[in-house]
Amino acid sequence: MTLAKRIIPCLDVDNGRVVKGVKFVEIRDAGDPVENARRYNLEGADELTFLDITASSDDRETMVHVVEAVAREVFIPLTVGGGIRELSDIRRMLNAGADKISINTAAVFNPEFVARAADKFGSQCIVVAVDAKRVSAPEEAGSWQIFTHGGRKPTGIDVLEWVERMDRYGAGEILLTSMDRDGTRIGFDNELTRLVSRAIRVPVIASGGVGNLQHLADGILEGEADAVLAASIFHFGEFRISEAKAFMRARGIEVRDD
Amino acid sequence: MQTIAVVDYGMGNLRSVVNALEAVGDKRYRVLLTSDPQQLAEADRVVFPGQGAAGDCMRAIDEYGLRDAIVTAAASRPFLGICMGMQVLIDFSEENQGTDCLGIFKGKVKYFGDGYRDQSGVKLKVPHMGWNRVTQVKSHPLWHSIDDGSRFYFVHSYYLEAQEPSLVAGTTDYGIRFTSVIARDNVFALQCHPEKSADSGLQLLRNFVHWDGKA
């Protein structure tokens, strides 16, 4: 096996500025998306994910300019998510230089949107973001549902049925976030990740809960994820991507380090 | 001033290709995104990218009236095929219940398969997505300053099975060892995305920009 497992830093962008910015000494402006992207690229990030958390849709155009600026300087895959509702949103972001578009809420309310998007732009650029929350008691067999609104609203949709459906509809990849773990720093929900990864054909990115480097390795070894995504452990300067790669390599995980 | 034409036939994100060529070129080069056969005919170098399905790509090439211009460019000037832009140079793809392609080279483009596994039975995801190694199986000016076995970014579900060994310039292992790079005369084409492959990819594009088109 020579395909490397990917490490993907995720940057939240609010109105054109990275929030929870990096504290790299080399960076003069911690909120500048281009500087953050450049730094992560130098450290060996395999991809970058930008999540637009801008509240007002009037300001969405700002994100287009962010993507344009980053794509001119950083030559690794860029995924953009947040507020993608229409085919025209996807077209705009791809034209700006994004390589993949992450669809979340719009897929839940209109699953056919994923099929139309994959048909029009190709599966390779369609990522379906899944926010999953465990609904079974700890002593019961695991069962997870899709939640919306930042994990507050249940939809009644079973996660495994959902990811299989999204795979069939043409999703090129699944970004799987455990809403139980998100922000906890106690590690990915590896049981959930493994079930999803085994159920579908397409790659799975594990997300939610990373607090240390062991968690990243566990996401691959126990969760059987194809890629791991993290935000805070990289943003706050606790760990560099290069350290994460060295750690994973020492545990026998194939990573890109050349 | 030299012109590098990037063929725009409506298939996928070409912005990254243009950005990367602009990043490695200098003032002597102009990067031109074009759908115009005449401009392709006049360009000094041609980059032929592509994403999506083989059937759609072939339809788009004909809808844009670009078939002759692409075939002519591939026979005459430094020519770089990327991803689907490599696959459609071959005569046939299994995709879309079988698609006849440009037929510039002999071979077959095949599906990795549902339930795809490696020899030891480990499940392999399809698409093959991420950074994988390219083994350089013959020397070529476009490999200049790129280490053998360097990683490039891939995303594809179909792979090339080349018919003529002399065409193969690079191979990659994903369950099987497949042809990830082909080269003959003035044509060089890859399954992976140099425009998304960080330093190795930029070096390859830099090599292409300065290439005299001789193998």
Side-chain angles (χ1 to χ4, degrees), chain B residues 85-134:
Chain B
M86 175 191 85
Q87 293 189 359
V88 296
L89 299 179
I90 306 303
D91 34 35
F92 181 77
S93 170
E94 277 183 0
E95 198 169 10
N96 308 119
Q97 288 82 49
T99 300
D100 287 324
C101 299
L102 294 172
I104 295 172
F105 302 113
K106 288 195 176 69
K108 192 172 177 184
V109 175
K110 302 170 89 168
Y111 185 44
F112 280 120
D114 290 326
Y116 192 53
R117 287 175 190 278
D118 69 10
Q119 281 91 346
S120 51
V122 175
K123 174 177 172 175
L124 296 179
K125 298 299 180 63
V126 178
H128 169 223
M129 182 186 285
W131 297 80
N132 206 339
R133 295 188 186 281
V134 174

Side-chain angles (χ1 to χ4, degrees), chain B residues 3-14:
Chain B
T3 300
I4 305 169
V6 177
V7 187
D8 179 6
Y9 55 113
M11 295 305 290
N13 170 16
L14 308 181

Side-chain angles (χ1 to χ4, degrees), chain A residues 123-124 171-172 201-203, chain B residues 52 83-84 87 94-95 109-114 116 125-129 154-160 174 191:
Chain A
S123 293
Q124 83 287 336
R201 295 173 293 184
V202 301
Chain B
C83 193
M84 187 52 72
Q87 293 189 359
E94 277 183 0
E95 198 169 10
V109 175
K110 302 170 89 168
Y111 185 44
F112 280 120
D114 290 326
Y116 192 53
K125 298 299 180 63
V126 178
H128 169 223
M129 182 186 285
F154 286 83
V155 51
H156 62 121
S157 300
Y158 289 76
Y159 67 94
L160 171 59
Y174 194 61
Q191 179 62 62

Side-chain angles (χ1 to χ4, degrees), chain A residues 179-191:
Chain A
M179 299 311 284
D180 301 304
R181 299 300 178 92
D182 204 31
T184 63
R185 302 173 65 86
I186 60 170
F188 296 120
D189 184 340
N190 289 315
E191 186 187 353

Side-chain angles (χ1 to χ4, degrees), chain A residues 30-57:
Chain A
D32 178 20
V34 178
E35 286 210 50
N36 280 271
R38 200 187 286 142
R39 185 65 234 175
Y40 281 134
N41 178 42
L42 281 174
E43 282 191 8
D46 297 308
E47 298 186 22
L48 294 173
T49 290
F50 286 93
L51 191 60
D52 187 8
I53 59 166
T54 308
S56 156
S57 56

Side-chain angles (χ1 to χ4, degrees), chain A residues 114-235:
Chain A
V114 172
R116 283 189 290 125
D119 189 48
K120 186 155 181 63
F121 303 109
S123 293
Q124 83 287 336
C125 66
I126 303 300
V127 180
V128 174
V130 172
D131 290 346
K133 212 165 169 174
R134 190 174 175 123
V135 290
S136 54
E139 65 278 7
E140 290 171 359
S143 171
W144 291 261
Q145 274 186 18
I146 305 294
F147 277 65
T148 59
H149 299 80
R152 294 191 305 277
K153 283 198 181 173
T155 61
I157 303 168
D158 177 75
V159 167
L160 285 180
E161 283 174 24
W162 178 247
V163 293
E164 285 172 10
R165 187 171 175 200
M166 291 297 101
D167 182 354
R168 269 199 318 279
Y169 279 23
E173 196 167 34
I174 297 290
L175 168 55
L176 177 66
T177 302
S178 161
M179 299 311 284
D180 301 304
R181 299 300 178 92
D182 204 31
T184 63
R185 302 173 65 86
I186 60 170
F188 296 120
D189 184 340
N190 289 315
E191 186 187 353
L192 165 68
T193 308
R194 188 168 55 243
L195 281 169
V196 169
S197 193
R198 287 183 179 182
I200 59 179
R201 295 173 293 184
V202 301
V204 174
I205 305 167
S207 158
V210 175
N212 59 45
L213 300 183
Q214 184 64 48
H215 293 154
L216 293 176
D218 289 344
I220 303 290
L221 298 172
E222 292 177 28
E224 301 177 13
D226 301 283
V228 286
L229 179 138
S232 62
I233 66 159
F234 298 130
H235 295 334

